[in-house]
Every structure is written in structure tokens, then in C-alpha cells.
Amino acid sequence: MSTSKLRILVPVKRVIDFAIKPRINKTQTGVETKGVKFSINPFCDIALEESIRIREGNKDLVEKIHAVSIGPTKAQDVLRVALAKGADTSTLIDVGEEEVEPLSVAKLLQKVVEKENSNLIILGKQAIDDDSNQTGQMLAGLLNWPQATNASKVEIDGDNVTVTREVDGGSDTLRAKLPLVITTDLRLNDPRYASLPNVMKAKKKPLEKLSASDLGIEITKRLETLKVEEPPVRQAGVKVESVDELISKLKDLKAI
């Protein structure tokens, strides 16, 4: 059986740290980002960890792990973390403070895939800021590659990749040949921490900086946010002692 060397692309997104409760900004246009801790998106961290584990399981199998982030200049921080954890090279597509929708993200990633000659893309199933869960599927469509979403287990045997994914009734097993797009679920693995020596070494690893125009992509918005507000506070419930009292309360509320 022929075995292709894996050239893995791992997109990583800079998001507000998962431990922080988001607050709506004063203009009600989005979430407050000033003075807030940012970190690598948890699902992206899982995707990165999986790519590193694949290499650790068979060092001759993986040619390169390339991390890419689309975001502001500060997003190079999450790329440095990715490099410290085990990525070999990285690319920052600097879009400033502009929010990039999934289709534009997928188009940018398609260009990076072509540039890096990647044959396996492992990315988080969603980002915890916009929760879109669309980029992986759109990217697979643009590339015309098979896709396996919500992966809870990944096994590679030559050019064949077997992915187990969680579904409502239990688990679903898919098998496809490279090239392939995989999106990761929470239970796939537990990401490692970047050690301080590796953080220092990562400063010497390649970090290429590009703009969307360098890749020939124009970022267009298809959605307009009119207003962002907190959900209304729900009224406290009422305990009742009997069915008769429940019926009485429902009648008072004109529910029956």
C-alpha cells in the first residue's frame, strides 16, 4: 500500500479565553474585547494536539505540521503557542480587527492549502466566539475533498483515514482516503501545555505574515449585526403543593 507523507494544516483562532464570561460592549455591537484575556480556541487546541499525536505515533508519517491563523496582528501569540507545542511552521493572515465570516475564512484557508501543498487539514469543529461550525465543511466543499466532522477518534493506515464521530444514537465510523478535512470534537483528546523551553525555542520557528490581498481574496460580509443584547432575565418559578393548585395557577396565567 502506498503511504503519502502527511502535510498537516491546522488552523488556530485567537478568541476570548474560555474561562472568561463575555460582556456586551456599550455600543451593543458585539462582545467587549478591550482589557480581556485572549487564548487559542479550545477546539483548535484539540486539533493541534491531534496532529502532534499523529506524528508522535509514527514519526516517518508526518512531513510537516503548519499552523495558520486569520486575525489581528496579536494572533501571532496563538501561533507561537502552536509552534511551542509542536507545529513546525506557521502563517498569520493579518486582517486587522475585522471579523471574518466562515466562507471568507474557508477561501483564505484554501489558498494556504494550495500554497503549503497540504493533504490533511485538522481544525476545530467551531470557534467559541461565533459558534458557526461551518468553516471545515465549506473548506472541504471548496477543495472538493472528503470530510469527517465532529471527530472523537482518528486512525491513519497508509492513505486510509478512519474517523469515529459522536452522533445522537451513539457513534458513526467513516473511512476516506487522503486528502481529507477533519473537524475535531471535545472528547478527541486533552491538549498539552506548552513548556517554557519550547516557548523560547518557538521564537526561532518560521512565522510568515500575509494579508488577504496577498492571497488574492477579498473579504466580504454577508451578515450585518444590528444589535447585541443580553437575554431577558427569566422570572423565578413557583412551587405548588398539589395538582389542583397547579391547575389553579395555570388558569390564573390563562395558560389553560
Side-chain angles (χ1 to χ4, degrees), residues 14-15 22 32 34 40 117-118 133 150 171 197 199 235 253:
R14 177 181 182 263
V15 298
E32 183 58 66
K34 291 185 174 63
I40 187 170
N117 194 25
S118 307
N133 194 345
N150 297 25
S171 63
V199 169
Q235 290 185 331
L253 294 168

Side-chain angles (χ1 to χ4, degrees), residues 126-150:
Q126 66 197 78
I128 62 170
D129 49 6
D130 59 13
D131 274 331
S132 293
N133 194 345
Q134 296 173 345
T135 301
Q137 294 90 323
M138 288 177 171
L139 179 57
L142 290 171
L143 292 166
N144 197 26
W145 287 10
Q147 59 178 294
T149 58
N150 297 25

